[in-house]
Amino acid sequence: MAFRRRNKSYPFFSQEFLIQNHADIVFGLVIFILIGLMFEATAKTAILFIQPQYNVTTLSSEGEVTLYHYGWKDCATILFYFFIAIILHAVVQEYLLDKVNRRLHLSKSKNTKFNESGQLCVFHLVSSVWSFYILITEGYLLHPSTLWENYPHVHLRFQVKFFYLTQLAYWLHALPELYFQKVRKEEISRQLQYICLYLLHISAAYLLNLSRVGLVLLFLQYVSELGFHIARLLYFTDENHQKMFDLWAVSFVFTRMSTLTLMFLAVGFGLARSEYQGLDLEMGNFNTVLIRMTVLLLVCLTQSWLLWKFIRFQLRRWREPLKRDSLGHHENGVLKAENGASPRTKKLKSP
């Protein structure tokens, strides 16, 4: 299964060989784990990588319900879907983005950003639809008070736990992709910033049993980011497409306001009035003043940083037309001066 066309062969275990064949190598590891399911001696080990662990069966009004909590075995599941994310990344790159790139003939800097936005468009679209489906089926949108009531939310349904595991796997896979995709040095720091922020916030929501609030925040964030990356893709195809950035700007401000409002409502007020206060690791309760203030401070700092970057981006967009207009007026003035010059002056200027 070859994901990239190979114009040149490289020595085994060399850097270029690893970069060109990383998806095939990872695909082989995935097949190796799946083959382990076929044998009784290795099936129990292989299932740790594929299926979420720590399931508990409880009785409810709906009958027997299987719920899940987290543990160290989740690392194996995350590792497996980390491999899956690398394979899917290569598929999207080879069969979609590379074909579009050949037609657009973009520069190296624009090509890197185009590939980044193309990959994130696919991911944000799938994740926003998936998270919205979970919010509807779990009833979190229709009953917002369930976001903080009955905390700690230790037991999760399969779709909620699987969503968080795949989210962590995707953002972890984005780290080695910086090397595999040969991202330029000046772009690495920018991409590392948002990758680490996603990993930090998703891990905090998962480990602190704030999965319900985290789902809503991720849905809002992914919808906003989807608009931005669609706007950037349209801009690379035609630089006259600027209106989509204006629509994204509105959704960005709305997302920042909604995120801060929801966090203060759920964590600042909802959890503060909860009956279960204090730190209890066995029960999964992290409802203390220090932890609540730390979570709120982290979210506020992140939103402030995003707003600062947003303002800088908008100022840069507004300055570009002004520069073009000033250059246009300057060129028109030069042409008028040359056309109005005397014949003798023109002869002196001619080579």
Side-chain angles (χ1 to χ4, degrees), residues 253-311:
V253 175
F254 173 78
T255 301
R256 304 285 77 77
M257 294 176 61
S258 301
T259 299
L260 291 173
T261 302
L262 180 61
M263 284 302 297
F264 278 100
L265 180 63
V267 178
F269 295 98
L271 293 184
R273 298 180 180 180
S274 175
E275 298 179 0
Y276 302 100
Q277 299 286 333
L279 180 64
D280 190 344
L281 297 179
E282 293 184 0
M283 295 295 295
N285 188 10
F286 300 92
N287 192 7
T288 65
V289 176
L290 179 60
I291 293 177
R292 290 200 304 269
M293 294 300 295
T294 303
V295 170
L296 288 174
L297 180 61
L298 174 63
V299 173
C300 289
L301 288 176
T302 303
Q303 301 307 308
S304 301
W305 180 72
L306 291 173
L307 281 171
W308 175 69
K309 289 190 64 178
F310 172 77
I311 292 171

Side-chain angles (χ1 to χ4, degrees), residues 4 35 48 74 81 84 109 134 143 168 176-177 179 199 265 269 279 282 288 313 317-318:
R4 287 189 179 275
I35 290 176
L48 292 175
D74 291 341
Y81 291 100
I84 297 295
S109 60
I134 295 175
H143 305 90
L168 291 170
E177 285 295 342
Y179 170 74
L199 286 173
L265 180 63
F269 295 98
L279 180 64
E282 293 184 0
T288 65
F313 175 78
R317 280 189 61 215
W318 292 335

Side-chain angles (χ1 to χ4, degrees), residues 171-189:
W171 290 113
L172 283 172
H173 113 280
L175 295 173
E177 285 295 342
L178 297 176
Y179 170 74
F180 294 142
Q181 298 299 321
K182 297 182 179 179
V183 177
R184 299 189 310 164
K185 291 182 179 180
E186 53 269 26
E187 289 288 328
I188 290 178
S189 60

Side-chain angles (χ1 to χ4, degrees), residues 18-206:
L18 180 62
I19 291 174
Q20 283 206 350
N21 299 276
H22 71 276
D24 295 328
I25 296 171
V26 170
F27 184 75
L29 292 174
V30 170
I31 294 297
F32 179 76
I33 294 173
L34 293 176
I35 290 176
L37 293 173
M38 301 171 61
F39 304 97
E40 186 176 356
T42 57
K44 291 183 179 179
T45 303
I47 204 69
L48 292 175
F49 293 90
I50 301 170
Q51 182 178 327
Q53 303 299 306
Y54 303 105
N55 56 315
V56 178
T57 303
T58 59
L59 294 175
S60 65
S61 57
E62 302 174 358
E64 288 190 355
V65 179
T66 302
L67 301 175
Y68 296 81
H69 58 91
Y70 65 78
W72 66 269
K73 292 181 182 179
D74 291 341
C75 296
T77 311
I78 292 173
L79 179 63
F80 179 79
Y81 291 100
F82 168 87
F83 293 153
I84 297 295
I86 291 178
I87 295 172
L88 294 178
H89 187 113
V91 170
V92 172
Q93 186 67 42
E94 173 67 21
Y95 296 103
L96 180 61
L97 298 179
D98 285 350
K99 291 182 178 180
V100 177
N101 280 329
R102 294 189 194 102
R103 296 183 179 181
L104 294 179
H105 304 289
L106 299 173
S107 62
K108 288 185 179 180
S109 60
K110 288 186 177 181
N111 186 38
T112 301
K113 293 180 179 179
F114 181 87
N115 290 334
E116 176 194 3
S117 290
Q119 293 286 348
L120 290 176
C121 261
V122 176
F123 171 73
H124 288 320
L125 177 62
V126 173
S127 296
S128 57
V129 173
W130 189 4
S131 58
F132 182 72
Y133 172 79
I134 295 175
L135 292 174
I136 292 296
T137 54
E138 296 294 329
Y140 298 153
L141 290 181
L142 299 178
H143 305 90
S145 59
T146 57
L147 297 177
W148 59 84
E149 288 180 349
N150 301 321
Y151 180 85
H153 307 135
V154 177
H155 295 103
L156 309 173
R157 292 184 182 271
F158 173 83
Q159 60 179 354
V160 178
K161 176 165 182 173
F162 189 60
F163 176 81
Y164 271 96
L165 295 181
T166 52
Q167 292 296 308
L168 291 170
Y170 180 86
W171 290 113
L172 283 172
H173 113 280
L175 295 173
E177 285 295 342
L178 297 176
Y179 170 74
F180 294 142
Q181 298 299 321
K182 297 182 179 179
V183 177
R184 299 189 310 164
K185 291 182 179 180
E186 53 269 26
E187 289 288 328
I188 290 178
S189 60
R190 180 185 63 81
Q191 294 191 30
L192 273 177
Q193 289 174 356
Y194 70 75
I195 292 172
C196 293
L197 281 175
Y198 272 115
L199 286 173
L200 176 62
H201 286 74
I202 295 172
S203 301
Y206 185 62

